[in-house]
Every structure is written in structure tokens, then in C-alpha cells.
Amino acid sequence: MPKTIFERILDREVVADIVYEDNHVLAFRDIAPQAPVHILFIPKQHHARHAAVPPEHHGIFSHLFAAAQKVARQTKLDQTGYRLVINNGPDGGETVPHLHLHLLGGRHLGWPPG
Ligand code: AMP
């Protein structure tokens, strides 16, 4: 299987604007931001998508959400509000098959999503 663009970012083969890293998670700015702040959180271990994470690896969900909370505080989005999104599969709008959590904020976000 060829590497996804996110695995290439993890392996530092592709440059990204990295804003956070810990033992489990890497976070970087989305290349096509949909809000003034748009950051992606990816697990260092490869999982194609939310639905593909086996129970023994469910700990990655807490690592992703905890990292997003830290960055929301660093960027002060916790003071104004933000949205966390995971797009899963074709109907979910997934375009990169490596699990990722979007952090969006810095403007009012409409609901329902398109
Ligand atoms: P999704 O549609 O949920 O699969 O989200 C994939 C996201 O990855 C999109 O918002 C893209 O803009 C973003 N993206 C794709 N390539 C890159 C890249 N090289 N660096 C940063 N973000 C990227």
C-alpha cells in the first residue's frame, strides 16, 4: 500500500505547519483551511478511519481529543468556541484514509453541515 499524504507528513517527507506533537499524536495546519483556525490531529499509528480502529486501540481516541483540547487552549479557541469533526467514509466526506480529527474555529460555524 502506498503511504497516504499524512504518513508522509509523519515521516517528514512532506512539509507541514506542525503545531503540536506528543508520543501518540501529530497536529498540523490544514492546507486548505475552512476557518481561521483549522488544525488536523492524526495518530502516529496508522488507522484508515474512525470505523477501522479496533477496540484494543481505542485509547487513540482519548489521545486525539486531549491533544485537540490543549491546542484549543493554546489558540484561545476555548474562549470563543470551536468544532471537532471526523469525516468517515464516502458519505462522511473523507478524502485522506488516515484517521484525523479536525479542529475548526475563529468564526461562527453554521449548522447543519452541508
Ligand atoms: P477529510 O476530508 O476529512 O479526509 O480531510 C482531509 C484534509 O486534509 C482536508 O481538509 C485537506 O485540506 C487536508 N490536507 C490534504 N493534504 C494536506 C497537506 N499536505 N497538509 C495539510 N493538510 C492537508
Side-chain angles (χ1 to χ4, degrees), residues 52-59 61:
V53 181
E56 62 270 27
H57 289 148
H58 278 181
F61 296 142

Side-chain angles (χ1 to χ4, degrees), residues 5-6 28-32 40 87 93-96 100 102:
I5 186 73
F6 291 173
F28 49 89
R29 293 189 189 280
D30 197 293
I31 203 166
L40 302 173
N87 297 322
E94 173 197 309
T95 59
V96 178
H100 50 283
H102 296 254

Side-chain angles (χ1 to χ4, degrees), residues 5-6 9 14-17 28-34 38 40 42 48 85-89 92-102 104:
I5 186 73
F6 291 173
I9 289 172
V14 170
V15 175
D17 185 358
F28 49 89
R29 293 189 189 280
D30 197 293
I31 203 166
Q34 301 301 308
H38 187 174
L40 302 173
I42 66 172
V85 174
I86 293 175
N87 297 322
N88 187 100
E94 173 197 309
T95 59
V96 178
H98 183 110
L99 174 64
H100 50 283
L101 177 66
H102 296 254
L104 296 142

Side-chain angles (χ1 to χ4, degrees), residues 40-90:
L40 302 173
F41 296 79
I42 66 172
K44 292 188 170 179
Q45 186 172 60
H46 178 73
H47 298 288
R49 60 191 54 82
H50 184 265
V53 181
E56 62 270 27
H57 289 148
H58 278 181
I60 193 56
F61 296 142
S62 63
H63 290 303
L64 289 170
F65 276 87
Q69 187 194 57
K70 286 179 192 165
V71 174
R73 286 180 180 154
Q74 283 167 12
T75 54
K76 302 198 185 307
L77 287 186
D78 61 322
Q79 297 175 16
T80 51
Y82 57 88
R83 184 171 296 168
L84 297 172
V85 174
I86 293 175
N87 297 322
N88 187 100

